[in-house]
Amino acid sequence: MFPASFDYAKARSVAEAISILSSVEDAKLLAGGHSLLPLMKLRLASPSMLVDIGSLAELSYIEDKGDYVAIGSMTRHHDISSSRVLKSEIPLLPYVASQVGDPQVRHRGTIGGSISHGDGASDLPAAVLALDAKFVVAGPKRERIVPATEFFVGFLETVLSPDELLTEIRVPKFSGGWSFQKFNRRAQDWAIVGVAAVNDGGTRVSLVNMGPTPMRARAVEEALADGASIETASSKASEGMDPPTDLNASSQYRRHLAEVLVKRALTEAV
Amino acid sequence: MQITTVVNGKSFTKDVEPRTLLVHYIRDVLGLTGTNVGCDTSSCGACTILLNGESVKSCTVLAVQADGLELTTIEGMASESALHPIQKAFHDNHGLQCGYCTPGMIMATASFLKENPAPTEADVREGLEGNLCRCTGYHNIVKSVLAAAEAMEGAVK
């Protein structure tokens, strides 16, 4: 299998990438390529042009900024999972990165690529949602900052417009419990259902593969804020969710799994 | 478009279509057929090579993405006179049955042992999660990797 023909340009800067995106119809950014290239090989995507930003050094960094850690969008899963700063300040994130795919995938895949792809079945988008991260988005006219809670809008759809580029992920530090529960049947598979939980005064919970986007489990969070027990709160895990049915699991089974996994996550994090 | 890669220490400048996958560049353009295509969907790891010293699945990388980078394939492991210690360990411990996954297993092992020179058995099983052996010969593969670690002077815990 190989992709349909396309033009290719290696961008030398963020500005150059945006200028190509603005001038070429149906051009797409290429980061590590581990979400996009499989889709292109299956001919589910056939962009006219790929603008390669995967090797832009200006987008690969992990910097301690005091209240938060700034992560360049082209930072690879491997670099996140082995980052000392992240392990000590935001341990959930390197742990989640270490659970993505397999070592080969983690040597290529990037956090910005995963978030921009916006797959509700991916681990990192749900993790940054539970961490209340903010995203820096560069465009032809201006830069804007979008909270993770407003970023994912539909199936493989985000608020990014075709000429915009996610440049930085700002993740607030936290001091408290956390948990990531990923349920699958084989190594390297996507989660059938996953749960990320952060307990930092309040408790934030997000779900993997329980809807078209990564989802915050608002009913669980509200129940906990009102003083409900873990048992009661986790029974609300699938409220407001629209989990898919596929070869791995029915929608109904995912609802059941979500309750079990949220309970495990809260028991570990709270 | 023209790309230059250093493959197993030797520099090549070749014309490729942007859509050429790295594994096809290695096999069809350079004629290095030791790297196998298994699933072609970045699951099985048969096509694993080293890109700048790190394992990647070459069916999910474009050749143009490797422009300017160093590649190591299975052909680059042995010296003229001797097998690489990882190859020798697979040979000594019967770490293969049909052998189709073996080049990928060995390249994944090379990258894994660089990151974790003294692994436990559990580390090895997790470190090779990206490589499938359809003969299910995992037991001896794990034994081979542990033997390779020892031979390469990582003390096995």
PDB file of all heavy atoms in Angstrom, chain A residues 1 6 62 77 96 104 133 195 209 212 244 251:
ATOM      1  N   MET A   1       0.844  -1.194   0.000  1.00  0.00           N
ATOM      2  CA  MET A   1       0.000   0.000   0.000  1.00  0.00           C
ATOM      3  C   MET A   1       0.881   1.246   0.000  1.00  0.00           C
ATOM      4  O   MET A   1       1.855   1.306   0.736  1.00  0.00           O
ATOM      5  CB  MET A   1      -0.831   0.046   1.286  1.00  0.00           C
ATOM      6  CG  MET A   1      -1.844  -1.062   1.400  1.00  0.00           C
ATOM      7  SD  MET A   1      -2.933  -0.768   2.798  1.00  0.00           S
ATOM      8  CE  MET A   1      -1.770  -0.742   4.171  1.00  0.00           C
ATOM      9  N   PHE A   6       1.251  13.161  -4.233  1.00  0.00           N
ATOM     10  CA  PHE A   6       1.113  14.490  -3.616  1.00  0.00           C
ATOM     11  C   PHE A   6       2.425  15.234  -3.805  1.00  0.00           C
ATOM     12  O   PHE A   6       3.461  14.616  -4.093  1.00  0.00           O
ATOM     13  CB  PHE A   6       0.782  14.352  -2.117  1.00  0.00           C
ATOM     14  CG  PHE A   6       1.767  13.503  -1.344  1.00  0.00           C
ATOM     15  CD1 PHE A   6       2.935  14.055  -0.827  1.00  0.00           C
ATOM     16  CD2 PHE A   6       1.535  12.142  -1.155  1.00  0.00           C
ATOM     17  CE1 PHE A   6       3.851  13.271  -0.131  1.00  0.00           C
ATOM     18  CE2 PHE A   6       2.458  11.348  -0.460  1.00  0.00           C
ATOM     19  CZ  PHE A   6       3.614  11.914   0.045  1.00  0.00           C
ATOM     20  N   ILE A  62      10.993  21.017  25.665  1.00  0.00           N
ATOM     21  CA  ILE A  62      10.205  20.895  26.896  1.00  0.00           C
ATOM     22  C   ILE A  62      10.815  21.890  27.869  1.00  0.00           C
ATOM     23  O   ILE A  62      11.971  21.735  28.253  1.00  0.00           O
ATOM     24  CB  ILE A  62      10.278  19.459  27.461  1.00  0.00           C
ATOM     25  CG1 ILE A  62       9.669  18.463  26.454  1.00  0.00           C
ATOM     26  CG2 ILE A  62       9.570  19.374  28.813  1.00  0.00           C
ATOM     27  CD1 ILE A  62       9.909  17.000  26.801  1.00  0.00           C
ATOM     28  N   HIS A  77       6.723  11.521  21.308  1.00  0.00           N
ATOM     29  CA  HIS A  77       6.238  10.778  22.484  1.00  0.00           C
ATOM     30  C   HIS A  77       7.436  10.242  23.291  1.00  0.00           C
ATOM     31  O   HIS A  77       7.423  10.246  24.515  1.00  0.00           O
ATOM     32  CB  HIS A  77       5.365   9.591  22.058  1.00  0.00           C
ATOM     33  CG  HIS A  77       4.248   9.970  21.144  1.00  0.00           C
ATOM     34  ND1 HIS A  77       3.567  11.171  21.235  1.00  0.00           N
ATOM     35  CD2 HIS A  77       3.676   9.308  20.104  1.00  0.00           C
ATOM     36  CE1 HIS A  77       2.638  11.219  20.300  1.00  0.00           C
ATOM     37  NE2 HIS A  77       2.686  10.108  19.590  1.00  0.00           N
ATOM     38  N   VAL A  96       1.408   8.599  30.162  1.00  0.00           N
ATOM     39  CA  VAL A  96       0.488   8.383  29.030  1.00  0.00           C
ATOM     40  C   VAL A  96       1.290   8.250  27.731  1.00  0.00           C
ATOM     41  O   VAL A  96       1.035   7.361  26.917  1.00  0.00           O
ATOM     42  CB  VAL A  96      -0.544   9.525  28.922  1.00  0.00           C
ATOM     43  CG1 VAL A  96      -1.365   9.390  27.644  1.00  0.00           C
ATOM     44  CG2 VAL A  96      -1.464   9.522  30.134  1.00  0.00           C
ATOM     45  N   GLN A 104       8.737   2.028  18.399  1.00  0.00           N
ATOM     46  CA  GLN A 104       8.962   2.576  17.062  1.00  0.00           C
ATOM     47  C   GLN A 104       8.028   3.760  16.793  1.00  0.00           C
ATOM     48  O   GLN A 104       8.443   4.778  16.234  1.00  0.00           O
ATOM     49  CB  GLN A 104       8.746   1.496  15.990  1.00  0.00           C
ATOM     50  CG  GLN A 104       9.810   0.394  15.983  1.00  0.00           C
ATOM     51  CD  GLN A 104       9.404  -0.832  16.772  1.00  0.00           C
ATOM     52  OE1 GLN A 104       8.864  -0.711  17.868  1.00  0.00           O
ATOM     53  NE2 GLN A 104       9.663  -2.008  16.226  1.00  0.00           N
ATOM     54  N   ALA A 133      -4.820  21.668  29.776  1.00  0.00           N
ATOM     55  CA  ALA A 133      -3.755  22.316  29.008  1.00  0.00           C
ATOM     56  C   ALA A 133      -4.327  23.420  28.122  1.00  0.00           C
ATOM     57  O   ALA A 133      -5.534  23.486  27.885  1.00  0.00           O
ATOM     58  CB  ALA A 133      -3.049  21.273  28.139  1.00  0.00           C
ATOM     59  N   VAL A 195      -9.046   6.100  30.619  1.00  0.00           N
ATOM     60  CA  VAL A 195      -9.444   7.144  31.571  1.00  0.00           C
ATOM     61  C   VAL A 195      -8.197   7.860  32.081  1.00  0.00           C
ATOM     62  O   VAL A 195      -7.240   7.212  32.506  1.00  0.00           O
ATOM     63  CB  VAL A 195     -10.185   6.544  32.791  1.00  0.00           C
ATOM     64  CG1 VAL A 195     -10.558   7.635  33.789  1.00  0.00           C
ATOM     65  CG2 VAL A 195     -11.418   5.769  32.360  1.00  0.00           C
ATOM     66  N   ASN A 209     -12.023   7.227  23.755  1.00  0.00           N
ATOM     67  CA  ASN A 209     -12.848   6.316  22.947  1.00  0.00           C
ATOM     68  C   ASN A 209     -14.269   6.148  23.480  1.00  0.00           C
ATOM     69  O   ASN A 209     -14.872   5.088  23.339  1.00  0.00           O
ATOM     70  CB  ASN A 209     -12.174   4.935  22.827  1.00  0.00           C
ATOM     71  CG  ASN A 209     -12.272   4.397  21.408  1.00  0.00           C
ATOM     72  OD1 ASN A 209     -13.023   4.925  20.585  1.00  0.00           O
ATOM     73  ND2 ASN A 209     -11.545   3.337  21.117  1.00  0.00           N
ATOM     74  N   PRO A 212     -16.996  10.922  19.822  1.00  0.00           N
ATOM     75  CA  PRO A 212     -16.268  11.333  18.626  1.00  0.00           C
ATOM     76  C   PRO A 212     -14.991  12.113  18.941  1.00  0.00           C
ATOM     77  O   PRO A 212     -14.079  12.176  18.116  1.00  0.00           O
ATOM     78  CB  PRO A 212     -17.270  12.236  17.897  1.00  0.00           C
ATOM     79  CG  PRO A 212     -18.271  12.648  18.924  1.00  0.00           C
ATOM     80  CD  PRO A 212     -18.318  11.569  19.942  1.00  0.00           C
ATOM     81  N   PRO A 244     -18.669   4.618  20.510  1.00  0.00           N
ATOM     82  CA  PRO A 244     -18.875   3.915  19.256  1.00  0.00           C
ATOM     83  C   PRO A 244     -18.988   2.397  19.468  1.00  0.00           C
ATOM     84  O   PRO A 244     -18.529   1.864  20.468  1.00  0.00           O
ATOM     85  CB  PRO A 244     -17.600   4.227  18.465  1.00  0.00           C
ATOM     86  CG  PRO A 244     -16.561   4.471  19.519  1.00  0.00           C
ATOM     87  CD  PRO A 244     -17.281   5.076  20.683  1.00  0.00           C
ATOM     88  N   SER A 251     -21.099  -0.467  21.980  1.00  0.00           N
ATOM     89  CA  SER A 251     -21.289   0.780  22.704  1.00  0.00           C
ATOM     90  C   SER A 251     -21.639   0.493  24.169  1.00  0.00           C
ATOM     91  O   SER A 251     -21.111   1.108  25.096  1.00  0.00           O
ATOM     92  CB  SER A 251     -22.410   1.560  22.005  1.00  0.00           C
ATOM     93  OG  SER A 251     -22.651   2.747  22.665  1.00  0.00           O
TER      94      SER A 251
END
